[in-house]
Amino acid sequence: MRIVATDRDPSLWSGDAMVLFIIEGKMDPLDQLGEEIATLVKQKASRLGFTGKEDGLLVVDTPGGTVGSVYLAGLGSADGATPDPWRRGIALAVRQAGKDRNKRIMALPGGAATPEVHSALAEGALLSEYSFERYKSGPDPSEKPEPIEELLVHGGDERSLARGSLNAIAQNFARDLVNEPGNVINPAGLAERASATARECGIECNIFEEEKMREMGMNGILSVGAGSHNTPRLIHLVYHPVGPSRERIAFVGKGLTFDSGGLNIKPGDSMRSMKGDKTGACNVIAIMKAVSELKPDLEVHGFAGVAENMPGGGAYRPDDIIRMFNGKTVEVDNTDAEGRIVLGDVLAYASRQEPAVMIDMATLTGACAVALGPYTAGIFGNDAALAASFRDASGRTGERVWELPMDDERLKKKIRSEVADVVNSGGRYGGAITAAMFLREFVGEGIKWLHVDIAGVDSSDEEYGYYRKGATGFGVRTCLEWMEKYDKH
Ligand code: BES
Ligand code: MN
Ligand code: ZN
């Protein structure tokens, strides 16, 4: 899909469809259409009770007009600061246009639309177009929507559209990686994708293999990966700015290419979808690719701990005591609480680079999904200002986050161990928080740290807004949005 800014008079444009955006109860955008068409649209709207509610879409065929269809996308009250209703509105319209075989469409966001709205339109359109079909031979052509060739954004500016496109392409890249199953992307495979990406973008890449990790004392990652024939990897990507770097920041991702639970094996239903347990790592790779194009004045590091958690003769076991990279010892209560063990090593290793800020993303706990549901990620950290700036960024990207508390000293006792420094599971209650408290043990002194638990939001089992079934790439845009503001602070 080409996305192009235009100032052409919409009434003289003869494409396939137009998209108008309706704040609830305010039909005045229809004035941009000719009177005859506007009347037709208004009639259908009142007949079907379309008033502009959020996520509503009205489709009107306008055979007499210069375009064949008009789509009205509902924005709801649109009083919030977020452009997300626009993003979802264009997503629904683009999806409908694909079904209707409309190839050239024009979005009319109106003269008051901000650059953020224009970016959001590009994002929504490209995100909604995403599909993962590379393993399907012959889809039924009558069922398959056809891609849109051109989206014109009236009154848009190229810069905002390009920025939105970059964000969406990064998120879709993460989705593509996550959607690959464990038999296609194992730890070596993900490391290979990371280094190929780094080569293309001209950023630095270091991959650590088993032997090297053993020398370094990365026993957390090694233990988790020990039950699999597919040996683990540590990925380290670095973007160096052209000019002097103002600061160093790091993104860290959990990369379980498959999480069977290990010896504490998951029941079948819960094991399904665990190819998605590498989402944090895939997000980091996608973010680093975008960073190489955004070129901030920051030195940006991307780390991912990558392993496959399997039961097997070499597998780590409950009761094991592991000496981690930073020297702390971990008692294994449950081999299915593997993400925090992997991340413990990666966070400690990343801390050695002394970043000012470190943000990790992990599909860490089912408890987080239980607490917040499938549309909101949990955030945790040691710096209120960092959490606030991330929350602000999330308000703009529409990727919902909610902060959970880290100051419950009584709860912290749940990860105390009789025989080691910490135990890897604090039980069911407050499970997302005790997992975050475990991670905190591996964050270097003085580093501002934020943990994003994306279990629950990493993949979707329904189609909504700009998401489809499958990987969402949730978190990529918020990290980029946060970074852009941080770069300027
Ligand atoms: N990868 C899972 C968490 C998860 C669950 C992600 C559901 C996405 C959807 C993680 O490794 C895990 O298994 N966590 C356990 C921790 C428990 C054993 C303390 C969990 O959440 O049950
Ligand atoms: Mn697990
Ligand atoms: Zn896991």
Side-chain angles (χ1 to χ4, degrees):
M1 184 191 319
R2 272 190 315 280
I3 301 183
V4 192
T6 186
D7 285 320
R8 273 154 74 178
D9 181 349
S11 66
L12 301 175
W13 177 74
S14 58
D16 297 322
M18 271 187 206
V19 189
L20 300 173
F21 298 85
I22 306 294
I23 293 174
E24 194 166 358
K26 293 191 185 134
M27 287 295 189
D28 28 310
L30 293 181
D31 300 344
Q32 298 170 90
L33 305 169
E35 207 183 309
E36 211 172 312
I37 306 279
T39 311
L40 189 70
V41 174
K42 273 179 197 156
Q43 279 169 353
K44 185 156 184 190
S46 77
R47 187 149 41 85
L48 296 183
F50 175 92
T51 55
K53 283 203 170 48
E54 215 165 318
D55 295 326
L57 184 74
L58 181 75
V59 181
V60 189
D61 292 330
T62 50
T66 50
V67 295
S69 323
V70 171
Y71 301 129
L72 299 192
L75 297 175
S77 62
D79 53 3
T82 169
D84 207 51
W86 297 83
R87 210 177 268 122
R88 296 198 303 266
I90 192 74
L92 292 183
V94 160
R95 193 160 297 164
Q96 185 63 39
K99 288 179 188 150
D100 295 346
R101 303 282 194 273
N102 284 329
K103 300 283 186 198
R104 294 170 57 232
I105 64 178
M106 186 189 278
L108 297 169
T114 58
E116 285 73 34
V117 165
H118 294 140
S119 291
L121 292 177
E123 287 168 5
L126 291 172
L127 290 171
S128 107
E129 194 190 36
Y130 176 82
S131 68
F132 183 73
E133 292 176 3
R134 50 182 308 212
Y135 297 103
K136 283 169 87 81
S137 22
D140 181 346
S142 67
E143 280 176 20
K144 196 173 151 40
E146 282 183 26
I148 283 161
E149 280 163 16
E150 189 173 58
L151 169 65
L152 297 173
V153 178
H154 194 258
D157 68 284
E158 295 293 350
R159 230 183 127 261
S160 308
L161 297 180
R163 178 58 207 275
S165 300
L166 184 148
N167 286 342
I169 289 167
Q171 185 168 349
N172 286 344
F173 177 51
R175 290 161 102 181
D176 257 341
L177 289 173
V178 175
N179 278 326
E180 291 289 356
N183 65 327
V184 176
I185 292 194
N186 60 25
L190 193 58
E192 185 41 54
R193 304 276 176 132
S195 67
T197 305
R199 254 194 319 275
E200 277 163 35
C201 315
I203 60 177
E204 191 184 322
C205 173
N206 281 299
I207 307 288
F208 300 92
E209 299 194 6
E210 199 179 14
E211 201 182 328
K212 182 74 190 157
M213 282 195 279
R214 208 166 300 284
E215 269 168 40
M216 296 161 78
M218 294 255 163
N219 298 316
I221 303 179
L222 289 168
S223 297
V224 169
S228 172
H229 294 296
N230 301 312
T231 56
R233 296 287 186 278
L234 173 68
I235 300 171
H236 180 191
L237 305 170
V238 194
Y239 159 83
H240 297 276
V242 191
S245 156
R246 294 202 303 113
E247 237 174 59
R248 188 177 300 132
I249 64 169
F251 295 104
V252 175
K254 166 179 173 180
L256 268 289
T257 59
F258 191 74
D259 178 14
S260 72
L263 290 175
N264 291 106
I265 197 157
K266 289 178 184 290
D269 282 352
S270 322
M271 205 186 293
R272 198 78 160 96
S273 82
M274 280 302 135
K275 69 172 183 180
D277 215 20
K278 60 183 180 302
T279 302
C282 299
N283 284 0
V284 167
I285 298 170
I287 286 167
M288 293 306 292
K289 183 174 175 210
V291 165
S292 76
E293 292 164 44
L294 289 167
K295 304 193 195 319
D297 296 326
L298 302 164
E299 183 180 302
V300 186
H301 291 246
F303 298 91
V306 192
E308 184 176 49
N309 188 19
M310 296 290 255
Y316 81 132
R317 8 175 144 51
D319 293 350
D320 280 2
I321 299 171
I322 305 167
R323 187 171 295 282
M324 303 280 283
F325 177 73
N326 73 348
K328 288 195 181 177
T329 54
V330 172
E331 179 192 5
V332 179
D333 170 66
N334 190 319
T335 62
D336 198 12
E338 84 298 335
R340 63 200 75 181
I341 301 181
V342 168
L343 278 181
D345 271 353
V346 189
L347 288 169
Y349 182 71
S351 297
R352 286 268 187 99
Q353 308 287 330
E354 299 181 336
V357 176
M358 184 156 76
I359 297 178
D360 81 70
M361 281 170 289
T363 46
L364 203 65
T365 66
C368 190
V370 171
L372 297 175
Y375 314 109
T376 304
I379 57 171
F380 313 74
N382 62 8
D383 187 80
L386 173 59
S389 64
F390 198 82
R391 196 179 334 104
D392 289 347
S394 124
R396 296 188 291 273
T397 61
E399 295 179 328
R400 295 170 52 89
V401 301
W402 196 260
E403 189 172 6
L404 293 173
M406 292 286 279
D407 60 352
D408 188 341
E409 290 302 319
R410 201 164 284 128
L411 185 62
K412 192 181 159 207
K413 293 184 183 145
K414 302 281 182 197
I415 57 168
R416 275 193 189 164
S417 163
E418 293 291 326
V419 293
D421 297 329
V422 270
V423 59
N424 83 325
S425 163
R428 272 160 55 78
Y429 289 179
I433 298 172
T434 49
M437 288 172 163
F438 181 100
L439 296 183
R440 185 170 57 186
E441 297 294 314
F442 300 90
V443 174
E445 195 112 350
I447 300 173
K448 292 174 187 156
W449 162 72
L450 187 83
H451 157 57
V452 190
D453 193 333
I454 51 175
V457 297
D458 62 307
S459 71
S460 176
D461 54 15
E462 60 183 326
E463 189 171 292
Y464 70 93
Y466 35 81
Y467 295 121
R468 295 193 176 228
K469 289 185 184 175
T472 59
F474 189 113
V476 170
R477 281 184 299 114
T478 302
C479 285
L480 293 174
E481 175 70 25
W482 171 84
M483 189 191 72
E484 185 182 20
K485 291 287 173 304
Y486 189 79
D487 188 23
K488 291 185 187 138
H489 88 294

PDB file of all heavy atoms in Angstrom, residues 55 84 110-111 161 163 175 217 290 329 365 482 488:
ATOM      1  N   ASP A  55     -15.210   2.646  17.096  1.00  0.00           N
ATOM      2  CA  ASP A  55     -15.112   1.340  16.439  1.00  0.00           C
ATOM      3  C   ASP A  55     -16.335   0.984  15.592  1.00  0.00           C
ATOM      4  O   ASP A  55     -16.497  -0.160  15.174  1.00  0.00           O
ATOM      5  CB  ASP A  55     -14.841   0.205  17.443  1.00  0.00           C
ATOM      6  CG  ASP A  55     -13.483   0.357  18.115  1.00  0.00           C
ATOM      7  OD1 ASP A  55     -12.545   0.837  17.441  1.00  0.00           O
ATOM      8  OD2 ASP A  55     -13.357   0.024  19.302  1.00  0.00           O
ATOM      9  N   ASP A  84      -5.738   7.098  19.068  1.00  0.00           N
ATOM     10  CA  ASP A  84      -6.026   5.688  18.762  1.00  0.00           C
ATOM     11  C   ASP A  84      -7.370   5.448  18.079  1.00  0.00           C
ATOM     12  O   ASP A  84      -7.459   4.573  17.227  1.00  0.00           O
ATOM     13  CB  ASP A  84      -5.897   4.801  20.007  1.00  0.00           C
ATOM     14  CG  ASP A  84      -5.541   3.368  19.634  1.00  0.00           C
ATOM     15  OD1 ASP A  84      -4.566   3.197  18.863  1.00  0.00           O
ATOM     16  OD2 ASP A  84      -6.229   2.432  20.063  1.00  0.00           O
ATOM     17  N   GLY A 110      -9.859  15.872   7.960  1.00  0.00           N
ATOM     18  CA  GLY A 110     -10.321  17.230   8.280  1.00  0.00           C
ATOM     19  C   GLY A 110      -9.157  18.156   8.609  1.00  0.00           C
ATOM     20  O   GLY A 110      -8.077  17.701   8.997  1.00  0.00           O
ATOM     21  N   GLY A 111      -9.404  19.436   8.454  1.00  0.00           N
ATOM     22  CA  GLY A 111      -8.346  20.428   8.591  1.00  0.00           C
ATOM     23  C   GLY A 111      -7.741  20.500   9.985  1.00  0.00           C
ATOM     24  O   GLY A 111      -6.601  20.910  10.152  1.00  0.00           O
ATOM     25  N   LEU A 161       3.410  10.897   7.803  1.00  0.00           N
ATOM     26  CA  LEU A 161       3.002   9.629   7.215  1.00  0.00           C
ATOM     27  C   LEU A 161       4.174   8.652   7.204  1.00  0.00           C
ATOM     28  O   LEU A 161       4.015   7.465   7.505  1.00  0.00           O
ATOM     29  CB  LEU A 161       2.475   9.831   5.793  1.00  0.00           C
ATOM     30  CG  LEU A 161       1.213  10.705   5.666  1.00  0.00           C
ATOM     31  CD1 LEU A 161       0.785  10.825   4.210  1.00  0.00           C
ATOM     32  CD2 LEU A 161       0.066  10.148   6.499  1.00  0.00           C
ATOM     33  N   ARG A 163       6.700   8.654   9.265  1.00  0.00           N
ATOM     34  CA  ARG A 163       6.960   8.230  10.644  1.00  0.00           C
ATOM     35  C   ARG A 163       5.977   7.134  11.073  1.00  0.00           C
ATOM     36  O   ARG A 163       6.352   6.119  11.662  1.00  0.00           O
ATOM     37  CB  ARG A 163       6.877   9.442  11.582  1.00  0.00           C
ATOM     38  CG  ARG A 163       7.083   9.107  13.035  1.00  0.00           C
ATOM     39  CD  ARG A 163       8.446   8.438  13.227  1.00  0.00           C
ATOM     40  NE  ARG A 163       8.440   7.564  14.390  1.00  0.00           N
ATOM     41  CZ  ARG A 163       8.666   7.958  15.632  1.00  0.00           C
ATOM     42  NH1 ARG A 163       8.955   9.205  15.879  1.00  0.00           N
ATOM     43  NH2 ARG A 163       8.624   7.092  16.616  1.00  0.00           N
ATOM     44  N   ARG A 175       5.653  -8.906  14.476  1.00  0.00           N
ATOM     45  CA  ARG A 175       4.562  -9.895  14.343  1.00  0.00           C
ATOM     46  C   ARG A 175       4.998 -11.057  13.457  1.00  0.00           C
ATOM     47  O   ARG A 175       4.700 -12.229  13.749  1.00  0.00           O
ATOM     48  CB  ARG A 175       3.316  -9.221  13.720  1.00  0.00           C
ATOM     49  CG  ARG A 175       2.637  -8.237  14.634  1.00  0.00           C
ATOM     50  CD  ARG A 175       1.747  -7.300  13.843  1.00  0.00           C
ATOM     51  NE  ARG A 175       0.329  -7.641  13.928  1.00  0.00           N
ATOM     52  CZ  ARG A 175      -0.630  -6.961  13.291  1.00  0.00           C
ATOM     53  NH1 ARG A 175      -0.340  -5.934  12.518  1.00  0.00           N
ATOM     54  NH2 ARG A 175      -1.891  -7.311  13.424  1.00  0.00           N
ATOM     55  N   GLY A 217      29.633 -17.362  32.511  1.00  0.00           N
ATOM     56  CA  GLY A 217      28.849 -17.660  33.708  1.00  0.00           C
ATOM     57  C   GLY A 217      27.380 -17.310  33.572  1.00  0.00           C
ATOM     58  O   GLY A 217      26.708 -16.983  34.558  1.00  0.00           O
ATOM     59  N   ALA A 290      14.092  -0.208  13.662  1.00  0.00           N
ATOM     60  CA  ALA A 290      13.484   1.123  13.549  1.00  0.00           C
ATOM     61  C   ALA A 290      14.451   2.207  14.037  1.00  0.00           C
ATOM     62  O   ALA A 290      14.550   3.281  13.437  1.00  0.00           O
ATOM     63  CB  ALA A 290      12.178   1.169  14.337  1.00  0.00           C
ATOM     64  N   THR A 329      22.393 -16.433  43.684  1.00  0.00           N
ATOM     65  CA  THR A 329      21.931 -17.811  43.477  1.00  0.00           C
ATOM     66  C   THR A 329      20.409 -17.872  43.468  1.00  0.00           C
ATOM     67  O   THR A 329      19.729 -17.138  44.187  1.00  0.00           O
ATOM     68  CB  THR A 329      22.476 -18.745  44.582  1.00  0.00           C
ATOM     69  OG1 THR A 329      22.129 -18.190  45.855  1.00  0.00           O
ATOM     70  CG2 THR A 329      23.980 -18.905  44.472  1.00  0.00           C
ATOM     71  N   THR A 365       4.268 -13.542  32.880  1.00  0.00           N
ATOM     72  CA  THR A 365       3.386 -14.275  33.806  1.00  0.00           C
ATOM     73  C   THR A 365       1.934 -14.334  33.348  1.00  0.00           C
ATOM     74  O   THR A 365       1.356 -13.327  32.922  1.00  0.00           O
ATOM     75  CB  THR A 365       3.379 -13.609  35.214  1.00  0.00           C
ATOM     76  OG1 THR A 365       2.786 -12.313  35.134  1.00  0.00           O
ATOM     77  CG2 THR A 365       4.769 -13.506  35.805  1.00  0.00           C
ATOM     78  N   TRP A 482       8.233   6.404  23.236  1.00  0.00           N
ATOM     79  CA  TRP A 482       8.916   6.829  24.462  1.00  0.00           C
ATOM     80  C   TRP A 482      10.325   7.324  24.137  1.00  0.00           C
ATOM     81  O   TRP A 482      10.764   8.372  24.606  1.00  0.00           O
ATOM     82  CB  TRP A 482       8.976   5.658  25.461  1.00  0.00           C
ATOM     83  CG  TRP A 482       9.854   5.995  26.619  1.00  0.00           C
ATOM     84  CD1 TRP A 482       9.493   6.684  27.738  1.00  0.00           C
ATOM     85  CD2 TRP A 482      11.258   5.730  26.723  1.00  0.00           C
ATOM     86  NE1 TRP A 482      10.585   6.861  28.537  1.00  0.00           N
ATOM     87  CE2 TRP A 482      11.679   6.298  27.944  1.00  0.00           C
ATOM     88  CE3 TRP A 482      12.191   5.087  25.917  1.00  0.00           C
ATOM     89  CZ2 TRP A 482      13.007   6.218  28.372  1.00  0.00           C
ATOM     90  CZ3 TRP A 482      13.506   5.017  26.329  1.00  0.00           C
ATOM     91  CH2 TRP A 482      13.903   5.578  27.553  1.00  0.00           C
ATOM     92  N   LYS A 488      14.636  13.821  23.117  1.00  0.00           N
ATOM     93  CA  LYS A 488      14.551  15.294  23.091  1.00  0.00           C
ATOM     94  C   LYS A 488      14.597  15.907  24.486  1.00  0.00           C
ATOM     95  O   LYS A 488      14.610  17.116  24.602  1.00  0.00           O
ATOM     96  CB  LYS A 488      13.239  15.700  22.394  1.00  0.00           C
ATOM     97  CG  LYS A 488      13.251  15.372  20.908  1.00  0.00           C
ATOM     98  CD  LYS A 488      12.000  15.905  20.239  1.00  0.00           C
ATOM     99  CE  LYS A 488      11.908  15.455  18.786  1.00  0.00           C
ATOM    100  NZ  LYS A 488      10.541  15.049  18.442  1.00  0.00           N
TER     101      LYS A 488
END
